[in-house]
Amino acid sequence: MRKRARIIYNPTSGREALRSHLVDILDIYEQAGYETSAFATTPAPNSAKNEAERAAKDGFDLIVAAGGDGTLNEVVNGLAPLKHRPTMAIIPAGTTNDYARALKIPRDDPIAAARLILKKNKKFKIDIGQAGDNYFMNIAAAGTLTELTYDVPSDMKSLFGYLAYLVRGAELLPRVKPVPVRIKYDDQQFEGTVSTLFLALTNSVGGFEQLVPDASLDDGNFTLIIVKESKLAGMMQLMAKALQGKHLDDPRIVYAKASEVEITPLDKDDRLMINLDGEYGGDAPMKFRDLKQHLEVIANIDEIPDDAITESADYMRAEHDFVEGVNKMSDDEKD
């Protein structure tokens, strides 16, 4: 029986670039052996999420999330709770495309992103984060600085990209208000005031790849970053260090690995909003759990650093190297 693929695409992402490439993208997945169909998301809430869940329950073998980080997050939320989770592919077409950046998927060429399905060495299992009843695949964040994600209008994101975030972030810095919290992470605990905190699953956060330089995509652990600094000059200094990856040992930062994290504001009157992959995901208190190697994805594995993949791709890499070696042998050597 022929395998089936469902492309879930946002027709408004990337200045509608996906729509013009859709026929070619469908053809690529057909070449890869999939009977392929497409679904255009609508403005209705959870459009991509509901379609991903429906297609998975209907037995589709591959779900392709085509759009920005918001579309990708919805597809992940449709697949992650299910017992049967089909393989997922990504065709980025948004502003930041953090997860595509981490998986080394071409971000400016939808055709090249789709063609990864034709590679031999292309799949491995990634960690997924669970936050209450929601799921995320890149980052959970909280604190005043993360509010800029909600405040930047969508038209500014499309026109100015990272610049829109940086400008808005600079405006917010003077009013950063530390929040007293208790953070339990595995067998450790932090209690004190924080201005911002991150739970990262990849090394790409807001387009910056040095914030979590040692992130692994499949080791079962979040990278927890707690920023204790709140003064404007100190925050600017920390941001400059973070852009160079020199912030890990700074005493104003807690940097740790953990599979389970619980965040609780110490003052019940303090509101601490949780941002999941760039979207509002509820308020603390909240528990987070790293679901190790929970979802299989198509990625540009040959370009991903070896230390970003621990065990789930080891066998596939070894198998790929072995097959490549055999293919290069002469007929006499094979005999």
Side-chain angles (χ1 to χ4, degrees), residues 98-322:
D98 267 323
Y99 209 77
R101 183 189 298 271
L103 295 183
K104 304 302 180 184
I105 296 171
R107 291 174 287 117
D108 300 316
D109 187 342
I111 300 299
R115 289 187 67 83
L116 289 178
I117 194 68
L118 301 175
K119 294 185 67 173
K120 292 180 180 179
N121 188 35
K122 59 178 178 282
K123 296 192 290 187
F124 76 108
K125 292 182 178 180
I126 59 167
D127 292 355
I128 294 293
Q130 182 174 8
D133 295 328
N134 296 313
Y135 299 84
F136 61 100
M137 63 187 306
N138 191 53
I139 190 167
T144 306
L145 285 181
T146 64
E147 292 177 12
L148 68 93
T149 306
Y150 311 123
D151 291 348
V152 176
S154 58
D155 56 346
M156 277 188 70
K157 294 178 187 178
S158 299
L159 289 172
F160 301 111
Y162 302 137
L163 181 61
Y165 288 100
L166 293 175
V167 169
R168 186 63 181 135
E171 294 174 0
L172 282 169
L173 273 174
R175 64 180 180 88
V176 170
K177 177 179 177 283
V179 178
V181 296
R182 177 184 301 112
I183 302 174
K184 296 180 179 179
Y185 51 106
D186 288 352
D187 58 350
Q188 300 184 67
Q189 179 172 299
F190 168 87
E191 192 166 310
T193 58
V194 302
S195 59
T196 303
L197 60 92
F198 300 99
L199 277 175
L201 287 161
T202 79
N203 72 329
S204 183
V205 179
F208 302 112
E209 298 187 35
Q210 293 301 316
L211 192 63
V212 192
D214 60 347
S216 169
L217 297 164
D218 67 342
D219 68 348
N221 286 308
F222 297 114
T223 299
L224 171 64
I225 303 176
I226 302 171
V227 182
K228 297 180 281 186
E229 177 64 69
S230 62
K231 294 180 181 178
L232 177 58
M235 288 295 292
M236 295 297 288
Q237 185 185 50
L238 276 177
M239 288 174 67
K241 293 181 71 173
L243 291 178
Q244 304 173 66
K246 297 180 179 179
H247 59 296
L248 276 62
D249 297 323
D250 193 289
R252 295 165 292 184
I253 284 180
V254 174
Y255 191 92
K257 304 291 183 179
S259 60
E260 294 188 1
V261 177
E262 182 176 1
I263 301 171
T264 306
L266 295 178
D267 187 335
K268 61 181 179 62
D269 294 326
D270 282 331
R271 184 185 185 191
L272 191 60
M273 295 189 294
I274 304 298
N275 180 311
L276 302 177
D277 288 343
E279 304 294 334
Y280 173 65
D283 291 356
M286 189 172 288
K287 292 182 179 180
F288 303 83
R289 187 160 63 103
D290 186 305
L291 305 178
K292 185 176 182 179
Q293 298 173 21
H294 191 69
L295 190 61
E296 186 175 67
V297 295
I298 305 296
N300 194 2
I301 291 179
D302 294 334
E303 300 296 325
I304 298 174
D306 289 342
D307 56 2
I309 301 177
T310 57
E311 58 190 72
S312 71
D314 286 349
Y315 173 77
M316 284 176 281
R317 278 180 165 157
E319 181 184 43
H320 172 72
D321 291 343
F322 174 78

Side-chain angles (χ1 to χ4, degrees), residues 22-37:
L22 189 57
V23 172
D24 292 328
I25 291 171
L26 286 164
D27 183 60
I28 289 168
Y29 287 103
E30 291 281 345
Q31 291 177 42
Y34 292 90
E35 182 181 318
T36 310
S37 56

Side-chain angles (χ1 to χ4, degrees), residues 19-93:
R19 190 192 297 271
S20 62
H21 292 295
L22 189 57
V23 172
D24 292 328
I25 291 171
L26 286 164
D27 183 60
I28 289 168
Y29 287 103
E30 291 281 345
Q31 291 177 42
Y34 292 90
E35 182 181 318
T36 310
S37 56
F39 172 85
T41 61
T42 70
N46 299 316
S47 175
K49 174 185 175 183
N50 293 339
E51 176 58 18
E53 180 181 359
R54 185 208 65 77
K57 289 181 176 179
D58 195 38
F60 277 76
D61 304 279
L62 177 69
I63 305 296
V64 183
D69 288 337
T71 301
L72 179 55
N73 177 265
E74 278 201 37
V75 170
V76 167
N77 273 271
L79 300 181
L82 304 179
K83 184 175 181 180
H84 165 69
R85 298 180 294 277
T87 300
M88 185 178 72
I90 300 167
I91 299 179

